[in-house]
Every structure is written in structure tokens, then in C-alpha cells.
Amino acid sequence: CGKTAEALIQAARGAKEQAVRRASARQKTKEREALFAKYDRDKDQLLSQIEVIAYAKKELSVNVDKVLLDKIWRCTVDEDEKGISFEKMYLLNSSLGIAREMQRNERRKAARIAKEKVLAGLRERLKNKIREVEKVYSDFDKEMRAAEAAVRPLPLKAKTSSVSEMEEHAVECERLVEACRRTADKVKQRVKTIPLGFDKKYEEDMKEFFRIESKLLELQMGRADLRIARVENLSRRHKEQACRKEAQAIEMVRAFGMKVVRQYARVNKLTFEELFGHLDADGD
């Protein structure tokens, strides 16, 4: 008894779903018939070529030219027919659907070609900007080479140069390093401005192109800080050596002076107070 009731419930549910589907299908058919009637202006139960053009444009956003219209007519209209009947609307919709996708593809292709043309011009502009920055980097490289050449012999010069000469060398190297740093900062600022000034809708495309084109320049500028630091370290080390050399010279003079004073006191048999009195000439 329970199984019979369950079977009846399932059958009723199935019948209801089927009735709903039939009702939905009837509603859709009525809607399609109303749409057909809307464009069947002469009420001859057929869509003429003019009516098909209007239907395609307003309902599907498809522009139907003579070539497409002839193709649709060959596929949907028999020789003894004057237009497209309601029963063949599915063929018309299929043809128009294919045509719509083809037209979309053509528009996308045209847009892609137009975009590539714009991007080609923007890429050339970006290349020119990179070349301009590379000229500034070339100036930096010349200055950097001069600074590197100036500090290279400093370790050897430290052995033979006087303190004043070593200080002059250090000052000159510091001047060269400062000039290099200013030019390097100028290059970095110019690099930052390279990707600027382009239309925002092409920003992502230009970023990738900029990353590739400026790779060498980025590597060179990455090494620039290391080159400056190396020259700066050698110059500072030379200056520190000059300070140590001066301190050693002062210590030698002090030691020699103390030796002379002690010798003077010993020869003259002077006490510390007496020696101080000899040295304090003005008695203050």
C-alpha cells in the first residue's frame, strides 16, 4: 500500500513537471509567433528580405548586406517560396547567429589591428625615451671610469706620497664620486619617467614592453651603486691612511722632542721643575 502511494506521488509529480514544460513551450511558441508577426508587416505569413533585414538589425544587432542576405535565402527559402515562414525561423536564427559571430570576430580583428598599430607607435616612442636615458647613462659611465681610474693607483701612492698629497688625492676622488652620484641619480629619475605619459588603456601592454627593453639599462644601473660604493670605499680608505700617516708623523716628532728634552735635562742635571722653568720662556 505504501509503495503504491509513493508511485502515485511520483507519477503526479512527473505529470506536473511535464505540464509545466508544455506550458512553458507553448508560452515560448507564442512569444516567437508574436515576434514573427511583429516583423511580418504585410501579414503574408512570410518574412520578406526587407523584413529579415529589419529583424536581424533590431533583434540580433546583425547588419545584413546583399551577400549575407543571398546566403540566408539559399539556406532557408525554397525556389517556390517568396519568403521565410515561421516554421523556418530556426534556420534564419542559426544563419544570423553565425553571421553575428563572424561580424564580432571581424570587429575584434579590426580593433586588434588598430590597437597593434597604436602600440607600435607607442613602443617606438618608448624606445626613443630609453635611448635618451642611455645617453645620460653614457655620461655617467665616462665619469665613473674617470673616478675608477683615479682611485686605482691610490694604494701604491699611499706608500710614497706625503700626507698633504694624500689628502689632495682623497679630496679629488671625493669630488669625482659626488659628480658620479649626481649623474647616477639623474639617470634613475629619468628611468622612472620612461613609462609615464602614455594612455592608461595601454599601460599594461607598455609595462611588459618597458620591462624587456629596459632590462640592460636596469642591470647597468644596478651595478652603478656598487661601482660608486667601491670608489667611495677606496677614497675613504686612502683618507684614513693619510690620517694615520699624519698621526704617526706627529708621534715621531713628539717622541723625538721628548728624547731631546730628557737628554737636555740629564746633561744639565735639571729637576722636572727646573726643566719646566727653562721651557717656560715667558714665565706664565
Side-chain angles (χ1 to χ4, degrees):
C1 184
K3 290 183 179 180
T4 303
E6 181 65 27
L8 290 172
I9 292 170
Q10 290 293 336
R13 186 177 294 136
K16 180 181 178 182
E17 291 175 354
Q18 189 174 9
V20 169
R21 286 196 295 271
R22 282 200 297 267
S24 177
R26 283 195 296 271
Q27 180 61 32
K28 287 180 180 179
T29 299
K30 287 181 180 178
E31 290 173 359
R32 287 195 289 267
E33 288 174 344
L35 185 63
F36 183 87
K38 176 182 175 181
Y39 289 95
D40 182 19
R41 298 295 178 83
D42 55 8
K43 306 303 178 185
D44 62 350
Q45 303 303 309
L46 296 171
L47 293 182
S48 65
Q49 291 187 346
I50 294 175
E51 291 166 345
V52 166
I53 292 172
Y55 168 76
K57 186 174 182 61
K58 292 183 180 179
E59 299 298 328
L60 300 174
S61 300
V62 177
N63 293 319
V64 179
D65 57 15
K66 188 176 185 310
V67 175
L68 176 58
L69 188 61
D70 290 343
K71 186 176 180 180
I72 291 172
W73 228 248
R74 287 196 301 272
C75 295
T76 57
V77 180
D78 294 333
E79 292 183 1
D80 57 342
E81 293 177 331
K82 294 181 179 180
I84 299 173
S85 63
F86 174 76
E87 289 74 17
K88 290 187 177 180
M89 277 292 287
Y90 74 95
L91 292 175
L92 173 62
N93 287 331
S94 297
S95 298
L96 290 175
I98 294 170
R100 180 172 57 186
E101 287 307 309
M102 290 178 67
Q103 289 179 5
R104 284 177 178 172
N105 288 338
E106 287 298 319
R107 286 194 294 271
R108 283 192 287 263
K109 182 180 178 181
R112 186 173 63 252
I113 292 171
K115 181 181 178 182
E116 282 300 320
K117 188 176 180 179
V118 172
L119 285 176
L122 294 178
R123 289 179 186 127
E124 190 57 35
R125 276 179 56 196
L126 189 140
K127 282 183 179 179
N128 290 334
K129 293 178 77 172
I130 291 175
R131 282 194 284 267
E132 288 173 5
V133 177
E134 285 173 344
K135 290 178 183 177
V136 182
Y137 174 80
S138 179
D139 294 337
F140 162 77
D141 190 55
K142 289 176 184 176
E143 293 176 359
M144 196 71 246
R145 287 177 186 274
E148 288 168 338
V151 299
R152 198 173 294 121
L154 290 183
L156 292 175
K157 285 184 177 181
K159 297 177 181 179
T160 58
S161 300
S162 65
V163 172
S164 61
E165 288 174 335
M166 291 177 70
E167 288 176 344
E168 288 176 5
H169 297 156
V171 169
E172 176 62 16
C173 289
E174 286 173 355
R175 185 188 66 78
L176 293 172
V177 168
E178 188 58 32
C180 291
R181 195 180 298 282
R182 284 196 301 269
T183 309
D185 289 341
K186 185 178 177 182
V187 175
K188 289 176 183 177
Q189 289 300 320
R190 293 286 294 273
V191 169
K192 288 180 181 178
T193 63
I194 289 175
L196 302 179
F198 296 101
D199 195 319
K200 287 191 177 295
K201 64 182 177 181
Y202 302 117
E203 214 168 56
E204 290 303 316
D205 299 279
M206 297 305 293
K207 275 183 182 177
E208 180 62 18
F209 184 73
F210 169 69
R211 187 187 66 79
I212 296 170
E213 289 295 315
S214 64
K215 191 172 183 179
L216 177 60
L217 188 58
E218 292 284 354
L219 290 172
Q220 289 171 332
M221 289 311 300
R223 288 183 60 241
D225 290 334
L226 296 176
R227 293 172 73 183
I228 291 173
R230 181 176 177 277
V231 170
E232 199 170 34
N233 287 337
L234 289 172
S235 177
R236 184 175 61 251
R237 196 176 303 164
H238 190 69
K239 193 172 183 178
E240 289 170 354
Q241 285 179 312
C243 292
R244 286 195 298 270
K245 198 170 189 178
E246 184 178 29
Q248 289 170 357
I250 292 171
E251 178 60 26
M252 287 176 65
V253 170
R254 189 195 67 80
F256 180 74
M258 290 299 296
K259 185 177 180 181
V260 169
V261 169
R262 283 194 295 269
Q263 181 66 20
Y264 178 78
R266 190 164 44 250
V267 169
N268 293 281
K269 298 180 180 181
L270 300 174
T271 63
F272 178 77
E273 289 77 8
E274 291 171 334
L275 176 62
F276 187 79
H278 279 261
L279 294 175
D280 186 16
D282 55 5
D284 62 351

mmCIF file of all heavy atoms in Angstrom, residues 144 147-149 151-152 177 181 223-237:
data_model
loop_
_atom_site.group_PDB
_atom_site.id
_atom_site.type_symbol
_atom_site.label_atom_id
_atom_site.label_comp_id
_atom_site.label_asym_id
_atom_site.label_seq_id
_atom_site.Cartn_x
_atom_site.Cartn_y
_atom_site.Cartn_z
ATOM 1 N N MET A 144 82.270 57.709 -14.240
ATOM 2 C CA MET A 144 82.587 56.600 -13.351
ATOM 3 C C MET A 144 83.949 56.001 -13.679
ATOM 4 O O MET A 144 84.737 55.671 -12.778
ATOM 5 C CB MET A 144 81.484 55.525 -13.488
ATOM 6 C CG MET A 144 81.462 54.508 -12.364
ATOM 7 S SD MET A 144 80.886 55.198 -10.810
ATOM 8 C CE MET A 144 82.387 55.073 -9.837
ATOM 9 N N ALA A 147 86.612 58.226 -12.316
ATOM 10 C CA ALA A 147 86.743 58.060 -10.868
ATOM 11 C C ALA A 147 87.458 56.752 -10.535
ATOM 12 O O ALA A 147 88.320 56.710 -9.647
ATOM 13 C CB ALA A 147 85.365 58.092 -10.210
ATOM 14 N N GLU A 148 87.117 55.694 -11.250
ATOM 15 C CA GLU A 148 87.765 54.394 -11.016
ATOM 16 C C GLU A 148 89.250 54.453 -11.353
ATOM 17 O O GLU A 148 90.089 53.870 -10.653
ATOM 18 C CB GLU A 148 87.059 53.313 -11.838
ATOM 19 C CG GLU A 148 85.671 52.960 -11.305
ATOM 20 C CD GLU A 148 84.846 52.118 -12.267
ATOM 21 O OE1 GLU A 148 85.133 52.137 -13.485
ATOM 22 O OE2 GLU A 148 83.902 51.447 -11.809
ATOM 23 N N ALA A 149 89.565 55.179 -12.427
ATOM 24 C CA ALA A 149 90.973 55.336 -12.806
ATOM 25 C C ALA A 149 91.734 56.155 -11.759
ATOM 26 O O ALA A 149 92.926 55.916 -11.511
ATOM 27 C CB ALA A 149 91.072 56.019 -14.171
ATOM 28 N N VAL A 151 91.121 56.270 -8.440
ATOM 29 C CA VAL A 151 91.347 55.550 -7.171
ATOM 30 C C VAL A 151 92.212 54.308 -7.342
ATOM 31 O O VAL A 151 92.752 53.800 -6.353
ATOM 32 C CB VAL A 151 89.998 55.143 -6.517
ATOM 33 C CG1 VAL A 151 89.169 56.353 -6.187
ATOM 34 C CG2 VAL A 151 89.223 54.167 -7.389
ATOM 35 N N ARG A 152 92.360 53.833 -8.569
ATOM 36 C CA ARG A 152 93.103 52.584 -8.794
ATOM 37 C C ARG A 152 94.536 52.651 -8.252
ATOM 38 O O ARG A 152 95.001 51.703 -7.607
ATOM 39 C CB ARG A 152 93.075 52.232 -10.282
ATOM 40 C CG ARG A 152 93.434 50.774 -10.561
ATOM 41 C CD ARG A 152 93.221 50.442 -12.026
ATOM 42 N NE ARG A 152 91.813 50.512 -12.380
ATOM 43 C CZ ARG A 152 91.303 51.306 -13.310
ATOM 44 N NH1 ARG A 152 92.089 52.137 -13.989
ATOM 45 N NH2 ARG A 152 90.014 51.316 -13.567
ATOM 46 N N VAL A 177 83.507 61.251 -7.073
ATOM 47 C CA VAL A 177 82.435 60.369 -6.591
ATOM 48 C C VAL A 177 81.120 61.134 -6.494
ATOM 49 O O VAL A 177 80.058 60.641 -6.889
ATOM 50 C CB VAL A 177 82.802 59.758 -5.224
ATOM 51 C CG1 VAL A 177 81.580 59.093 -4.587
ATOM 52 C CG2 VAL A 177 83.916 58.745 -5.384
ATOM 53 N N ARG A 181 77.663 60.352 -8.404
ATOM 54 C CA ARG A 181 76.414 60.117 -7.688
ATOM 55 C C ARG A 181 75.287 61.004 -8.226
ATOM 56 O O ARG A 181 74.148 60.562 -8.395
ATOM 57 C CB ARG A 181 76.617 60.370 -6.194
ATOM 58 C CG ARG A 181 75.507 59.811 -5.323
ATOM 59 C CD ARG A 181 75.765 60.102 -3.852
ATOM 60 N NE ARG A 181 76.987 59.477 -3.394
ATOM 61 C CZ ARG A 181 77.082 58.185 -3.102
ATOM 62 N NH1 ARG A 181 76.044 57.388 -3.240
ATOM 63 N NH2 ARG A 181 78.220 57.690 -2.679
ATOM 64 N N ARG A 223 74.478 47.927 -11.215
ATOM 65 C CA ARG A 223 75.921 47.885 -10.983
ATOM 66 C C ARG A 223 76.466 49.257 -10.613
ATOM 67 O O ARG A 223 77.525 49.371 -9.986
ATOM 68 C CB ARG A 223 76.637 47.381 -12.233
ATOM 69 C CG ARG A 223 76.437 45.884 -12.510
ATOM 70 C CD ARG A 223 77.236 45.433 -13.726
ATOM 71 N NE ARG A 223 78.665 45.657 -13.526
ATOM 72 C CZ ARG A 223 79.424 46.460 -14.285
ATOM 73 N NH1 ARG A 223 78.868 47.131 -15.275
ATOM 74 N NH2 ARG A 223 80.702 46.604 -14.052
ATOM 75 N N ALA A 224 75.764 50.330 -11.001
ATOM 76 C CA ALA A 224 76.263 51.693 -10.768
ATOM 77 C C ALA A 224 76.475 51.952 -9.276
ATOM 78 O O ALA A 224 77.503 52.512 -8.879
ATOM 79 C CB ALA A 224 75.282 52.715 -11.342
ATOM 80 N N ASP A 225 75.515 51.537 -8.445
ATOM 81 C CA ASP A 225 75.646 51.759 -7.000
ATOM 82 C C ASP A 225 76.861 51.014 -6.443
ATOM 83 O O ASP A 225 77.564 51.526 -5.567
ATOM 84 C CB ASP A 225 74.379 51.301 -6.278
ATOM 85 C CG ASP A 225 73.192 52.211 -6.566
ATOM 86 O OD1 ASP A 225 73.430 53.402 -6.871
ATOM 87 O OD2 ASP A 225 72.043 51.750 -6.501
ATOM 88 N N LEU A 226 77.101 49.803 -6.954
ATOM 89 C CA LEU A 226 78.260 49.031 -6.496
ATOM 90 C C LEU A 226 79.567 49.704 -6.910
ATOM 91 O O LEU A 226 80.528 49.749 -6.125
ATOM 92 C CB LEU A 226 78.196 47.606 -7.062
ATOM 93 C CG LEU A 226 77.013 46.746 -6.604
ATOM 94 C CD1 LEU A 226 77.017 45.404 -7.318
ATOM 95 C CD2 LEU A 226 77.075 46.529 -5.093
ATOM 96 N N ARG A 227 79.595 50.235 -8.125
ATOM 97 C CA ARG A 227 80.805 50.914 -8.614
ATOM 98 C C ARG A 227 81.099 52.168 -7.790
ATOM 99 O O ARG A 227 82.243 52.431 -7.414
ATOM 100 C CB ARG A 227 80.636 51.265 -10.094
ATOM 101 C CG ARG A 227 80.583 50.056 -11.013
ATOM 102 C CD ARG A 227 80.219 50.446 -12.432
ATOM 103 N NE ARG A 227 81.330 51.128 -13.105
ATOM 104 C CZ ARG A 227 81.234 51.626 -14.347
ATOM 105 N NH1 ARG A 227 80.082 51.550 -15.008
ATOM 106 N NH2 ARG A 227 82.276 52.227 -14.883
ATOM 107 N N ILE A 228 80.039 52.935 -7.516
ATOM 108 C CA ILE A 228 80.217 54.153 -6.709
ATOM 109 C C ILE A 228 80.697 53.787 -5.306
ATOM 110 O O ILE A 228 81.615 54.425 -4.762
ATOM 111 C CB ILE A 228 78.898 54.945 -6.636
ATOM 112 C CG1 ILE A 228 78.562 55.555 -8.002
ATOM 113 C CG2 ILE A 228 78.981 56.049 -5.591
ATOM 114 C CD1 ILE A 228 77.208 56.223 -8.074
ATOM 115 N N ALA A 229 80.093 52.757 -4.714
ATOM 116 C CA ALA A 229 80.467 52.344 -3.355
ATOM 117 C C ALA A 229 81.931 51.902 -3.304
ATOM 118 O O ALA A 229 82.648 52.222 -2.346
ATOM 119 C CB ALA A 229 79.552 51.215 -2.890
ATOM 120 N N ARG A 230 82.375 51.192 -4.345
ATOM 121 C CA ARG A 230 83.769 50.712 -4.365
ATOM 122 C C ARG A 230 84.737 51.892 -4.420
ATOM 123 O O ARG A 230 85.730 51.948 -3.685
ATOM 124 C CB ARG A 230 83.985 49.792 -5.571
ATOM 125 C CG ARG A 230 85.395 49.233 -5.660
ATOM 126 C CD ARG A 230 85.520 48.243 -6.811
ATOM 127 N NE ARG A 230 86.883 47.758 -6.929
ATOM 128 C CZ ARG A 230 87.855 48.406 -7.557
ATOM 129 N NH1 ARG A 230 87.596 49.576 -8.148
ATOM 130 N NH2 ARG A 230 89.081 47.911 -7.609
ATOM 131 N N VAL A 231 84.475 52.858 -5.313
ATOM 132 C CA VAL A 231 85.335 54.032 -5.430
ATOM 133 C C VAL A 231 85.323 54.827 -4.132
ATOM 134 O O VAL A 231 86.363 55.307 -3.656
ATOM 135 C CB VAL A 231 84.881 54.913 -6.617
ATOM 136 C CG1 VAL A 231 85.609 56.254 -6.610
ATOM 137 C CG2 VAL A 231 85.135 54.204 -7.938
ATOM 138 N N GLU A 232 84.144 54.953 -3.558
ATOM 139 C CA GLU A 232 83.999 55.696 -2.310
ATOM 140 C C GLU A 232 84.799 55.032 -1.191
ATOM 141 O O GLU A 232 85.461 55.716 -0.396
ATOM 142 C CB GLU A 232 82.524 55.779 -1.939
ATOM 143 C CG GLU A 232 82.189 56.870 -0.951
ATOM 144 C CD GLU A 232 80.691 57.058 -0.821
ATOM 145 O OE1 GLU A 232 79.964 56.047 -0.926
ATOM 146 O OE2 GLU A 232 80.253 58.194 -0.629
ATOM 147 N N ASN A 233 84.745 53.706 -1.118
ATOM 148 C CA ASN A 233 85.480 52.974 -0.086
ATOM 149 C C ASN A 233 86.992 53.147 -0.243
ATOM 150 O O ASN A 233 87.714 53.356 0.740
ATOM 151 C CB ASN A 233 85.125 51.484 -0.139
ATOM 152 C CG ASN A 233 83.729 51.214 0.381
ATOM 153 O OD1 ASN A 233 83.185 52.006 1.149
ATOM 154 N ND2 ASN A 233 83.128 50.105 -0.038
ATOM 155 N N LEU A 234 87.478 53.049 -1.488
ATOM 156 C CA LEU A 234 88.912 53.217 -1.736
ATOM 157 C C LEU A 234 89.364 54.637 -1.381
ATOM 158 O O LEU A 234 90.446 54.838 -0.813
ATOM 159 C CB LEU A 234 89.241 52.898 -3.198
ATOM 160 C CG LEU A 234 89.144 51.419 -3.595
ATOM 161 C CD1 LEU A 234 89.298 51.257 -5.102
ATOM 162 C CD2 LEU A 234 90.213 50.601 -2.875
ATOM 163 N N SER A 235 88.550 55.623 -1.729
ATOM 164 C CA SER A 235 88.878 57.012 -1.412
ATOM 165 C C SER A 235 88.896 57.232 0.102
ATOM 166 O O SER A 235 89.810 57.878 0.638
ATOM 167 C CB SER A 235 87.851 57.945 -2.068
ATOM 168 O OG SER A 235 88.108 59.285 -1.711
ATOM 169 N N ARG A 236 87.907 56.679 0.793
ATOM 170 C CA ARG A 236 87.846 56.841 2.246
ATOM 171 C C ARG A 236 89.025 56.136 2.918
ATOM 172 O O ARG A 236 89.627 56.663 3.860
ATOM 173 C CB ARG A 236 86.517 56.293 2.773
ATOM 174 C CG ARG A 236 86.336 56.517 4.271
ATOM 175 C CD ARG A 236 84.971 56.075 4.782
ATOM 176 N NE ARG A 236 84.758 54.646 4.579
ATOM 177 C CZ ARG A 236 83.916 54.163 3.682
ATOM 178 N NH1 ARG A 236 83.237 54.966 2.893
ATOM 179 N NH2 ARG A 236 83.765 52.863 3.546
ATOM 180 N N ARG A 237 89.359 54.973 2.402
ATOM 181 C CA ARG A 237 90.493 54.230 2.964
ATOM 182 C C ARG A 237 91.803 55.015 2.793
ATOM 183 O O ARG A 237 92.639 55.063 3.686
ATOM 184 C CB ARG A 237 90.591 52.876 2.262
ATOM 185 C CG ARG A 237 91.464 51.857 2.989
ATOM 186 C CD ARG A 237 91.419 50.534 2.271
ATOM 187 N NE ARG A 237 90.046 50.037 2.153
ATOM 188 C CZ ARG A 237 89.688 49.071 1.324
ATOM 189 N NH1 ARG A 237 90.579 48.527 0.504
ATOM 190 N NH2 ARG A 237 88.436 48.659 1.293
#
